[in-house]
Amino acid sequence: MENKRIGEIFDEIADIIEIEDSKRIFEIRAYRKAALTIRELQEDVAGILNKKGIKGLMEFSGIGEGLAKKIEEYVKTGHIKKYDELKKKYPIDFTSLTKVRGLGSKKAFKLYKELGIKDMKGLQEAIKKNKVRSIEGFGEKSEDVLKKGVASVEAASSRMLLGTALPEAEAILHKLLESKLVERAEIAGSSRRMKETVGDLDILIISEKPEEAMDFATRIDEVESVLLKGPTKSTVWLKIGLSCDIRVVPKESFGAAMQYFIGNKSHNVKVRQIAIKKGYKLNEYGLFDRREKIIESQNEAEIYKILGMAYPVPEMREDRGEIDLALQDKLPVPVALGDICGDLHVHSTNSDGADTIEDMALAALKLGYKYIGMTDHSKSEYIARGMDEQRFAKYVNEIEKVNDKIGKQITVFKSAETDILKDGSLDFSKSALKEMDYVLASIHTSLNMDKESMTRRLVSCIESGDVDIIAHPTSRLINSREPIKLDLDKVFQAAKDNNVVMEVNSQPERLDLNDESIIKAREYGLKFSINTDSHRTQHLMFMRYGVGTARRGWLEKNDVINTLNTENLLKFLKKR
Ligand code: DGT
Ligand code: CA
Ligand code: CA
Ligand code: ZN
């Protein structure tokens, strides 16, 4: 895919402009936006150019003629002249280095100028020799931050985001089923459990022609190379950079295989111990009695039932207490995608979104939602084109117009993603906040504050009485940015005392709160809102990752405010 590389190049150009003159905001923004658009295109840019020329590229938001020509230049020549020239001046691997927490493009440039650091390897070496701390503006502490940042980038680079891995697994499944060689195919492993990152894919199939099925499976387009091929198990390396185990399972033991390969491992170990205690034996072929007679193997739920357990959904199988609850038949009934009535965190062209308010509302309507909450950014987010009070007033107007037009079908709520400033105050005037149906607030700046100050910042915002929902509460980005330092107990207690809702952000690289924090927050009796933080209509589909994370955090329908219908949601918001 050339898309990914072009996205990186545009981001690097933006990085370099930022170094040269950070006031060139429009240019920086244009490159960043185009980078994002290209990365997310479903189709290869080369294919688009082939079919429709640069006009085809310009149909996408954020790609004007100038950038479209640069893309064409890359597709035709493998180079972009402007980029090559800039790179002569700045031979720095910004793409990798800026993934390190605490390292922006300016600091990366400084390290290059002072120490000649060009890439991750150079950075690691310099840190090892304690060279970074001597550079003005860095010091021992930030050297330590960088060291941890490098380590977490390294550790993360081997696990892929669920949001990338799961669609790939589904595409493979679809091909297998279409081939007619496969009777049934299911996703197992961590992606079935909706874990936020995935080590490898696991696919189980039933086939009457196992050899042909394996031949087919190892030859599909997605496969780069075959690592291992056998009659019942093959492992392939996928082009997206992930390996995939494919297993042919006998029809009669499919349930037992599902139970085994969905995992996780420590859940399995405990279930097997229960089986032993009850005089059975459990493995991937079935549940057997003392005389090796098969008791059950076709149906997964039946196996749990015979062991005296309620059926835990895959998302809950992490050995976090679900086994005991299953034995007592006290498992929570997890919230489901179908329970969701609307999305309360959505952007539009009024800040950094790609689609209009009306487009977003119509897309939400298509999903069967009853409402959608518009939450464009506040003014501190200037790179994201955040709104000041004046633009906010126009935005409110636009929302009202959309409601006049389609309000009978779907309600568009007025809100804004309001920045929580350093002192915990909000980035809108009281009168603007009053205009909103609810206030969504989040931390985007000064992410490096120490734990005590950061906790005070968020708690004081929660206690202000002005905020309804805290969006992406820890501001982490999986694989690239650590969560901000927070005393979550204090935050959750304050949220409970002030009836403030915690978001489960569904963006694949956020999933914030994460599963573990949700379990903790749930113990405080908090309410949650599962939102997509959409920046274009297609992002509304991310809801399933948020719901998956909520299920991993044991949330029930009642815990989640956007399962309420419009009337009850408004009642809930008014009551607080
Ligand atoms: P991953 O791939 O690291 O994201 O995580 P999983 O859970 O997909 O792990 P994977 O692919 O190694 O194995 C798939 C499932 O197979 C795992 O969730 C449980 C089962 N499994 C693997 N190894 C063992 C084992 O040694 N004992 C038991 N009981 N189950 C295992
Ligand atoms: Ca796996
Ligand atoms: Ca595996
Ligand atoms: Zn947002």
Side-chain angles (χ1 to χ4, degrees):
M1 281 284 266
E2 282 157 326
N3 297 25
K4 186 173 168 227
R5 181 64 195 137
I6 296 171
E8 286 172 2
I9 288 175
F10 283 179
D11 262 329
E12 285 207 15
I13 294 177
D15 285 331
I16 293 171
I17 299 173
E18 239 166 3
I19 292 165
E20 295 201 317
D21 181 4
S22 57
K23 288 196 202 77
R24 282 152 69 190
I25 283 177
F26 288 102
E27 247 177 295
I28 296 169
R29 204 183 274 154
Y31 276 110
R32 294 252 187 254
K33 186 156 187 199
L36 197 74
T37 301
I38 293 167
R39 283 209 178 95
E40 290 183 353
L41 285 183
Q42 304 292 321
E43 207 183 337
D44 253 3
V45 284
I48 298 168
L49 277 167
N50 236 336
K51 269 186 251 157
K52 297 191 189 163
I54 66 166
K55 287 254 153 54
L57 291 173
M58 287 162 67
E59 281 169 17
F60 296 98
S61 88
I63 302 183
E65 194 176 6
L67 292 178
K69 280 190 175 153
K70 287 202 173 62
I71 296 170
E72 187 186 34
E73 190 190 342
Y74 185 85
V75 172
K76 281 192 176 154
T77 68
H79 291 272
I80 294 175
K81 226 166 102 200
K82 176 174 176 151
Y83 174 69
D84 291 351
E85 276 162 18
L86 289 172
K87 283 301 268 196
K88 267 186 213 144
K89 238 165 113 188
Y90 303 94
I92 306 168
D93 181 5
F94 288 104
T95 302
S96 308
L97 288 171
T98 53
K99 282 193 185 132
V100 177
R101 181 179 176 230
L103 202 59
S105 51
K106 281 186 186 164
K107 282 197 165 174
F109 178 57
K110 182 135 202 202
L111 290 176
Y112 168 67
K113 240 181 22 191
E114 304 281 348
L115 298 170
I117 293 173
K118 290 181 189 168
D119 50 26
M120 289 291 273
K121 214 173 131 219
L123 179 61
Q124 271 171 315
E125 272 167 24
I127 290 172
K128 220 192 240 160
K129 292 181 185 150
N130 293 332
K131 278 184 176 167
V132 174
R133 63 180 65 179
S134 58
I135 308 300
E136 191 211 338
F138 281 88
E140 213 170 305
K141 219 171 135 192
S142 54
E143 188 179 80
D144 202 37
V145 170
L146 288 182
K147 188 175 175 179
K148 286 187 186 134
V150 170
S152 81
V153 170
E154 293 267 293
S157 59
S158 58
R159 293 188 66 84
M160 187 172 275
L161 293 182
L162 177 68
T164 315
L166 186 59
E168 178 83 356
E170 287 165 340
I172 295 172
L173 225 59
H174 184 74
K175 277 197 183 164
L176 294 176
L177 289 168
E178 255 192 345
S179 77
K180 300 268 160 41
L181 291 165
V182 168
E183 216 182 299
R184 187 171 169 195
E186 293 282 347
I187 298 169
S190 50
S191 39
R192 182 67 177 237
R193 302 195 311 275
M194 300 295 277
K195 195 172 159 148
E196 62 189 36
T197 62
V198 170
D200 74 349
L201 294 179
D202 300 277
I203 291 175
L204 304 182
I205 58 181
I206 297 176
S207 173
E208 281 177 1
K209 301 173 185 153
E211 258 168 65
E212 278 174 67
M214 274 302 194
D215 275 342
F216 179 84
T218 50
R219 280 189 202 144
I220 52 177
D221 251 359
E222 283 78 0
V223 172
E224 186 173 289
S225 59
V226 179
L227 302 176
L228 182 145
K229 193 168 166 229
T232 59
K233 183 187 170 186
S234 296
T235 303
V236 293
W237 183 255
L238 302 169
K239 286 176 186 159
I240 60 165
L242 188 68
S243 84
C244 175
D245 289 337
I246 302 165
R247 290 182 175 85
V248 181
V249 173
K251 193 172 182 174
E252 58 279 6
S253 59
F254 200 73
M258 285 284 280
Q259 199 286 318
Y260 185 91
F261 289 109
I262 286 174
N264 74 2
K265 193 171 157 180
S266 54
H267 173 93
N268 284 355
V269 168
K270 290 226 167 126
V271 175
R272 200 187 306 156
Q273 283 165 355
I274 290 167
I276 291 169
K277 237 196 239 159
K278 303 208 164 175
Y280 298 110
K281 190 182 100 182
L282 178 65
N283 61 28
E284 64 262 51
Y285 299 104
L287 183 67
F288 303 84
D289 72 7
R290 271 193 190 103
R291 275 159 294 170
E292 298 280 314
K293 192 180 142 236
I294 206 150
I295 303 294
E296 176 61 45
S297 61
Q298 272 193 35
N299 186 314
E300 201 198 1
E302 201 59 33
I303 293 173
Y304 281 104
K305 200 169 157 193
I306 295 168
L307 294 177
M309 300 171 76
Y311 179 79
V313 295
E315 292 92 327
M316 289 186 69
R317 300 183 196 171
E318 295 287 346
D319 188 21
R320 290 174 177 153
E322 77 280 6
I323 305 255
D324 282 340
L325 291 187
L327 285 168
Q328 299 162 38
D329 196 15
K330 281 185 184 155
L331 280 176
V333 180
V335 60
L337 191 56
D339 296 330
I340 300 295
C341 291
D343 196 330
L344 297 176
H345 184 168
V346 173
H347 297 268
S348 75
T349 45
N350 285 277
S351 63
D352 57 348
D355 295 305
T356 63
I357 293 172
E358 187 173 345
D359 286 340
M360 296 307 286
L362 288 172
L365 182 63
K366 256 198 196 146
L367 294 176
Y369 287 165
K370 298 185 168 76
Y371 48 82
I372 183 170
M374 296 311 304
T375 53
D376 275 304
H377 285 287
S378 63
K379 56 188 172 290
S380 295
E381 287 300 290
Y382 54 90
I383 294 282
R385 267 178 26 90
M387 304 177 288
D388 57 14
E389 269 73 12
Q390 220 175 348
R391 278 183 46 223
F392 175 74
K394 269 172 63 190
Y395 157 86
V396 165
N397 230 315
E398 193 184 330
I399 293 177
E400 280 164 0
K401 277 206 190 112
V402 175
N403 268 327
D404 287 342
K405 205 166 150 190
I406 56 171
K408 281 216 174 72
Q409 294 153 281
I410 185 164
T411 306
V412 186
F413 290 129
K414 292 172 235 163
S415 183
E417 181 169 13
T418 311
D419 255 53
I420 301 172
L421 305 176
K422 258 177 134 166
D423 62 356
S425 66
L426 291 173
D427 194 24
F428 269 119
S429 66
K430 286 260 179 197
S431 63
L433 295 176
K434 265 215 183 97
E435 284 280 312
M436 300 179 196
D437 293 307
Y438 61 92
V439 176
L440 182 108
S442 61
I443 291 177
H444 290 111
T445 53
S446 303
L447 299 174
N448 281 324
M449 285 164 80
D450 62 74
K451 189 167 177 177
E452 209 186 313
S453 317
M454 192 59 101
T455 304
R456 204 178 315 127
R457 176 182 183 182
L458 191 51
V459 166
S460 108
C461 174
I462 288 170
E463 287 174 344
S464 70
D466 287 332
V467 53
D468 299 277
I469 303 174
I470 302 294
H472 50 73
T474 77
S475 291
R476 65 133 175 202
L477 296 175
I478 300 172
N479 289 357
S480 64
R481 190 167 73 206
E482 289 291 311
I484 54 175
K485 296 193 202 79
L486 283 174
D487 183 337
L488 283 179
D489 285 298
K490 284 197 177 134
V491 171
F492 293 158
Q493 187 59 54
K496 178 63 190 168
D497 295 343
N498 294 277
N499 280 316
V500 168
V501 174
M502 286 292 137
E503 179 176 80
V504 178
N505 189 295
S506 309
Q507 290 274 327
E509 71 277 15
R510 287 197 185 271
L511 298 178
D512 182 8
L513 296 174
N514 70 5
D515 47 8
E516 279 178 39
S517 301
I518 293 170
I519 291 179
K520 191 185 192 57
R522 181 177 168 269
E523 283 162 13
Y524 282 83
L526 295 184
K527 295 283 182 200
F528 300 81
S529 178
I530 309 174
N531 304 324
T532 61
D533 198 353
S534 286
H535 285 70
R536 56 181 66 240
T537 53
Q538 294 95 312
H539 288 181
L540 292 168
M541 305 303 288
F542 291 157
M543 185 60 82
R544 66 170 172 156
Y545 304 118
V547 170
T549 303
R551 287 160 72 87
R552 290 175 61 81
W554 298 18
L555 294 191
E556 300 187 87
K557 185 177 175 186
N558 267 338
D559 300 319
V560 179
I561 64 166
N562 52 322
T563 61
L564 296 169
N565 66 25
T566 316
E567 192 191 340
N568 287 336
L569 177 64
L570 283 170
K571 248 189 236 160
F572 170 85
L573 290 167
K574 218 170 252 154
K575 207 167 70 191
R576 359 173 296 98

